[in-house]
Amino acid sequence: MKLSIPPAALPALNRDHLGQAAHQAVQELLQEGESANTRRSYQGALRYWAAWYQLRYGDRPALPWPPAVVMQFIVDHAQRSTPQGLVHELPPSVDTALVAARFKAKPGPMSLNWLIHRVAVLSKSHQLAGVANPCEDPLVRHLLGHTRRAYAKRGELPVKKDALTKDPLSALLATCDDSLKGLRDRALLLFAWSSGGRRRAEVSGAEMRFLKRVSEDAYIYQLLHSKSNQAGQDRPENDKPIQGEAARALSAWLDASGIQDGPLFRRVLKGGHLGPPLSPAAVRDIVKARCQLAGLEGDFSAHSLRSGFVTEAGAQGIALAQTMAMTSHRSVATVMGYMRTQSAQVRAAATLMDGERPGLNRKVPD
């Protein structure tokens, strides 16, 4: 069946180029579908690229960038071994200017993860612009690959936060009193930890509409969108159980705060009034502040809740599949990266020849 529309009803579209309205709609969908953390991270990386380029080349950058510029960025920020020790090519004057303008926190070389992230962001910006991508140049890829190997040979591994397993987490909970802020922090810590080690953005973005009470001491939180499920696919592991002590702490916070809808965790203002929802940075600050109050020694942050849950699950012999259902990991390699060496699974694998184990010392039948 052939359909027809009066000629004056709609403007003709160009099949090779998007119109202004469609282009705007595309940009809005891309922005809405991207997490706030990712957007801030990309914006910060691109600002650094632009500042470094202006200081190094005395001009404003424009896409596409030549591969030689990316290679210069790599050697400026990656350390290499020489007879004089570890060196890099970023001039001290440029380094000082970047720190003074707050593009860097401190002078000196950056971590390998930082460098790889910056290159990935520049690559993505070229892909989205539809121009030649210098990060895909064979020489750039070859240099970056060997830079990774050089760091690995020196034993410079990514620094991981310490894990908040059951015992140190209990020390944090002991610092939470019965004030409104104490009730909130206790509920927040247990919600994040017991539901599988939620990321800080998932905690700050938690809303009452996704929380369902199933009994006096149990809730189900439906995590529809996360870093490991950015498309919002309907999966069985989206339902995160919150039970026992975690459920009781959450009930105490909700009863005291009177929250019935909207954000689950909010700022507590002077006079006990509720403010806007917590930001991801505020979740991190709460964890750090409670660690300091508890007198814990180590490098802890919000991600310590995630590694702590995975490590504790291993220590208690929880099957890896069950742990992954709680954390929402899709890759065994990724979830194992969160497991610290104190895990019972790791220790048991290192002592296979020691003592008897169920099923391993059975008598062979005649």
Side-chain angles (χ1 to χ4, degrees):
M1 182 176 69
K2 184 177 181 180
L3 299 177
S4 62
I5 299 176
L10 292 172
L13 295 179
N14 187 322
R15 290 178 294 184
D16 299 320
H17 301 282
L18 280 176
Q20 183 176 356
H23 178 77
Q24 179 66 24
V26 167
Q27 296 304 313
E28 290 172 353
L29 281 171
L30 290 174
Q31 184 172 356
E32 185 179 358
E34 189 175 62
S35 74
N37 282 345
T38 299
R39 187 161 57 250
R40 284 192 293 269
S41 175
Y42 274 43
Q43 289 171 347
L46 290 175
R47 284 195 295 267
Y48 185 90
W49 271 106
W52 170 84
Y53 186 97
Q54 290 185 51
L55 290 169
R56 277 304 242 159
Y57 294 94
D59 195 7
R60 291 183 177 274
L63 300 183
W65 292 33
V69 173
V70 182
M71 296 177 73
Q72 183 66 56
F73 185 88
I74 293 173
V75 298
D76 270 8
H77 296 87
Q79 288 187 300
R80 67 186 189 279
S81 298
T82 70
Q84 291 75 39
L86 293 175
V87 299
H88 62 293
E89 294 301 307
L90 188 65
S93 59
V94 173
D95 200 5
T96 300
L98 288 169
V99 173
R102 297 187 178 180
F103 289 104
K104 289 182 67 180
K106 59 183 180 181
M110 309 300 282
S111 70
L112 179 61
N113 280 350
W114 180 94
L115 174 60
I116 292 172
H117 175 260
R118 275 9 182 221
V119 174
V121 170
L122 186 71
S123 177
K124 190 69 173 182
S125 69
H126 281 75
Q127 292 174 13
L128 293 176
V131 297
N133 188 350
C135 303
E136 294 297 325
D137 182 88
L139 289 177
V140 172
R141 291 172 62 89
H142 188 68
L143 174 61
L144 195 58
H146 278 66
T147 300
R148 290 174 183 262
R149 295 181 189 178
Y151 274 71
K153 287 174 65 177
R154 294 199 297 265
E156 297 185 27
L157 301 176
V159 178
K160 296 183 178 181
K161 298 295 183 182
D162 292 332
L164 279 170
T165 50
K166 184 178 179 179
D167 288 342
L169 178 64
S170 297
L172 263 65
L173 298 175
T175 69
C176 300
D177 56 21
D178 291 333
S179 67
L180 194 58
K181 187 174 291 187
L183 292 173
R184 180 203 63 190
D185 290 359
R186 181 179 180 82
L188 182 152
L189 291 168
L190 284 168
F191 172 88
W193 197 89
S194 299
S195 63
R198 302 272 58 86
R199 301 175 178 89
R200 60 182 187 174
E202 295 166 359
V203 176
S204 64
E207 296 190 19
M208 286 294 295
R209 59 184 171 138
F210 300 124
L211 183 69
K212 179 181 179 181
R213 190 163 194 166
V214 294
S215 71
E216 184 177 349
D217 283 345
Y219 292 88
I220 293 291
Y221 186 80
Q222 193 173 33
L223 187 67
L224 296 179
H225 179 268
S226 65
K227 185 177 180 180
S228 51
N229 186 14
Q230 297 191 33
Q233 296 178 348
D234 187 11
R235 299 172 179 170
E237 63 266 27
N238 287 353
D239 291 342
K240 307 299 181 185
I242 302 169
Q243 301 175 350
E245 185 179 358
R248 291 189 290 273
L250 186 56
S251 295
W253 158 243
L254 295 177
D255 291 343
S257 64
I259 294 175
Q260 296 182 351
D261 55 29
L264 195 56
F265 298 108
R266 312 183 189 187
R267 291 180 58 193
V268 176
L269 307 177
K270 290 182 178 180
H273 301 292
L274 293 182
L278 294 175
S279 66
V283 175
R284 175 203 61 205
D285 293 342
I286 287 172
V287 174
K288 284 181 169 291
R290 291 296 173 181
C291 286
Q292 187 173 7
L293 285 174
L296 294 185
E297 295 183 1
D299 187 13
F300 297 98
S301 190
H303 224 57
S304 299
L305 295 168
R306 193 161 176 81
S307 60
F309 177 86
V310 173
T311 302
E312 187 64 37
Q316 296 194 25
I318 304 299
L320 191 59
Q322 296 179 28
T323 301
M324 292 176 66
M326 291 292 288
T327 62
S328 297
H329 280 112
R330 309 292 286 180
S331 164
V332 172
T334 303
V335 74
M336 289 300 291
Y338 286 90
M339 190 174 291
R340 302 300 183 255
T341 54
Q342 62 262 43
S343 165
Q345 292 179 355
V346 175
R347 294 199 305 269
T351 58
L352 291 177
M353 289 294 293
D354 300 338
E356 290 191 3
R357 299 182 185 278
L360 293 182
N361 296 282
R362 292 172 296 183
K363 183 180 178 180
V364 178
D366 295 334

